């Protein structure tokens, strides 16, 4: 209890000292906090540095990182210090490539009920993005490793970093390989498809659309949502063809992807389905339009389309009430 009280007191003193973060007293308090035993105090100081983009603490931050890498489960549970240092150094555009390379490979299993849990997942992803931001020559190599990371979030963050790299020559093959190898997590597949389109939509569009015709529903859904998210040319036509050629569950995701395009043409198509399609498909279109229920005009148009049906939209009343 006493230890927790000392930590709380240190946090309170730091908060009081940094009311004016640019004052000399605040800088002295931040320097002291970066050397604190508690990683909660160190992390709080790093948050202030990031929030106000304060320079001049690079040496202290590196020292805090090195300390946190020594017996890390004890000195930095949850990787709070290491994550904060990577975030701050990247934000401040400091030349810290060696530190980022150490962070991107760091694994920190910590005991939890029933086993252990890696607390360094976000750290690896953030360090990878920092390497990309620096155009480090080893960045794509590290991203290749991270795309095969055991942890889902690390793989997803790796895909985002590949997209941010702008490196078509290296990034596209890596993402295609990840997709072809398969992934049990649709979130990862979706990030990979989206990254492909972000890198080179013209040349990868066909590859993504090809997966709308796959047998694995998770892959189909990931490809559809990526088209909706990235909105490449031709996405509406491809998604329409997909919706109109399947009766399977992914059709609902296809309708949602069409809504995500956020174009009048896409919304007009969904409204047309509400007005004329069989009830099951019309209900799916209403559900997709429900994403924009705050847009009163669109909701009104959907109700008007339903009212124009032969039965006056009686079969769609519940869907309209639930989603719009």
């Amino acid at each position: 209890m006493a230890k927790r009280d000392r930590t709380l007191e240190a946090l309170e003193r730091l908060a009081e000292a940094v009311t004016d973060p640019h004052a000399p007293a605040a800088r002295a308090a931040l320097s002291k906090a970066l050397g604190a035993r508690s990683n909660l105090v160190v992390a709080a100081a790093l948050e202030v540095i990031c929030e106000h983009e304060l320079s001049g603490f690079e040496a202290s931050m590196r020292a805090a990182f090195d300390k946190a890498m020594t017996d890390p489960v004890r000195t930095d549970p949850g990787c709070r210090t290491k994550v904060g240092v990577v975030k701050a150094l990247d934000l401040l555009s400091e030349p810290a490539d060696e530190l980022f390379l150490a962070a991107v490979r760091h694994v920190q299993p910590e005991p939890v009920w029933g086993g252990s849990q890696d607390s360094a997942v976000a750290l690896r992803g953030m360090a990878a993005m920092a390497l990309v931001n620096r155009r480090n020559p080893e960045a794509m190599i590290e991203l290749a490793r991270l795309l095969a990371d055991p942890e889902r979030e690390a793989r997803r963050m790796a895909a985002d970093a590949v997209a941010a790299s702008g490196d078509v020559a290296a990034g596209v093959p890596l993402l295609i390989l990840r997709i072809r190898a398969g992934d049990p997590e649709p979130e990862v597949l979706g990030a990979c498809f989206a990254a492909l389109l972000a890198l080179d939509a013209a040349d990868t569009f066909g590859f993504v659309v090809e997966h709308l015709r796959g047998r694995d529903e998770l892959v189909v859904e990931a490809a559809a949502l990526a088209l909706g998210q990235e909105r490449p040319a031709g996405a509406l036509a491809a998604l329409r063809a997909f919706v109109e050629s399947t009766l399977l569950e992914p059709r609902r995701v296809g309708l949602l992807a069409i809504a995500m395009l956020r174009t009048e043409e896409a919304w007009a198509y969904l409204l047309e389905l509400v007005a004329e399609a069989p009830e099951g498909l019309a209900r799916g279109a209403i559900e997709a339009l429900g994403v924009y229920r705050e847009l009163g005009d669109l909701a009104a148009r959907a109700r008007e389309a339903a009212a124009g049906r032969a039965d006056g939209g009686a079969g769609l009343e519940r869907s309209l009430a639930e989603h719009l």
Side-chain angles (χ1 to χ4, degrees):
M1 180 64 70
K3 186 175 183 179
R4 285 199 297 271
D5 288 345
R6 286 196 295 269
T7 297
L8 180 58
E9 289 171 2
L11 289 170
E12 290 175 347
R13 286 195 300 271
L14 178 63
E16 291 174 2
V18 298
T19 51
D20 179 2
H22 299 280
R27 298 188 68 86
L30 288 168
S31 294
K32 182 178 179 180
L34 289 173
R37 293 183 62 183
S38 169
N39 71 337
L40 294 175
V41 177
V42 179
L46 290 164
E47 286 180 10
V48 174
I49 290 169
C50 287
E51 181 181 356
H52 300 282
E53 298 187 23
L54 303 175
S55 60
F57 297 97
E58 292 76 17
S60 297
M61 289 193 290
R62 289 172 183 270
F65 182 88
D66 291 341
K67 177 182 174 183
M69 289 289 276
T70 304
D71 193 5
V73 175
R74 182 182 63 82
T75 58
D76 188 28
C79 290
R80 292 182 178 89
T81 291
K82 293 185 287 292
V83 165
V85 169
V86 167
K87 179 181 177 181
L89 291 174
D90 188 28
L91 178 66
L92 296 169
S93 301
E94 291 296 326
D97 289 34
E98 290 186 10
L99 185 150
F100 297 143
L101 286 168
V104 77
R105 294 195 183 186
H106 182 66
V107 177
Q108 188 165 315
E110 298 188 20
V112 295
W113 181 259
S116 65
Q117 179 175 304
D118 183 1
S119 67
V121 176
L123 174 68
R124 294 197 291 279
M126 292 175 66
M129 187 64 81
L131 290 168
V132 165
N133 291 340
R134 300 299 192 291
R135 298 294 184 262
N136 184 283
E138 297 183 48
M140 299 309 291
I141 296 173
E142 297 305 327
L143 288 175
R145 292 176 182 273
L146 211 57
L147 282 169
D149 196 278
E151 298 290 340
R152 174 193 64 188
E153 184 63 10
R155 299 194 301 277
R156 187 198 65 75
M157 294 178 78
D160 290 346
V162 172
S165 75
D167 189 339
V168 175
V172 168
L174 283 178
L175 293 164
I176 288 176
L177 179 60
R178 174 70 270 178
I179 292 167
R180 288 296 197 201
D183 196 291
E185 302 291 346
E187 213 178 311
V188 175
L189 291 170
C192 289
F193 281 125
L196 278 175
L197 294 169
L199 276 176
D200 188 3
D203 285 342
T204 64
F205 178 77
F207 176 83
V208 177
V209 171
E210 169 191 324
H211 286 79
L212 294 176
R213 301 187 291 273
R215 294 183 179 181
D216 188 327
E217 288 191 5
L218 292 180
V219 177
V220 172
E221 292 179 6
L225 292 174
L227 289 168
Q229 174 185 326
E230 295 299 320
R231 307 170 194 165
L236 177 57
L239 289 167
R240 281 188 61 165
F242 165 66
V243 165
E244 293 168 7
S245 66
T246 182
L247 297 175
L248 301 176
E249 181 66 18
R251 183 171 71 178
R252 294 176 62 202
V253 177
L255 293 168
L256 175 60
I258 289 174
M260 290 167 62
L261 295 173
R262 295 183 67 91
T263 66
E264 178 57 36
E265 187 179 5
W267 289 340
Y269 171 68
L270 293 173
L271 292 168
E272 179 184 332
L273 293 180
V274 174
E276 301 175 6
E279 277 192 16
L281 187 52
R283 283 194 293 271
I286 290 170
E287 183 178 346
L289 288 167
V291 175
Y292 306 104
R293 66 189 307 163
E294 74 281 0
L295 300 180
D297 178 62
L298 191 58
R301 290 168 66 189
R303 294 190 183 93
E304 183 180 347
R309 296 173 66 92
D311 63 354
L316 302 178
E317 289 178 354
R318 181 174 177 180
S319 291
L320 287 166
E322 288 182 354
H323 300 290
L324 292 171

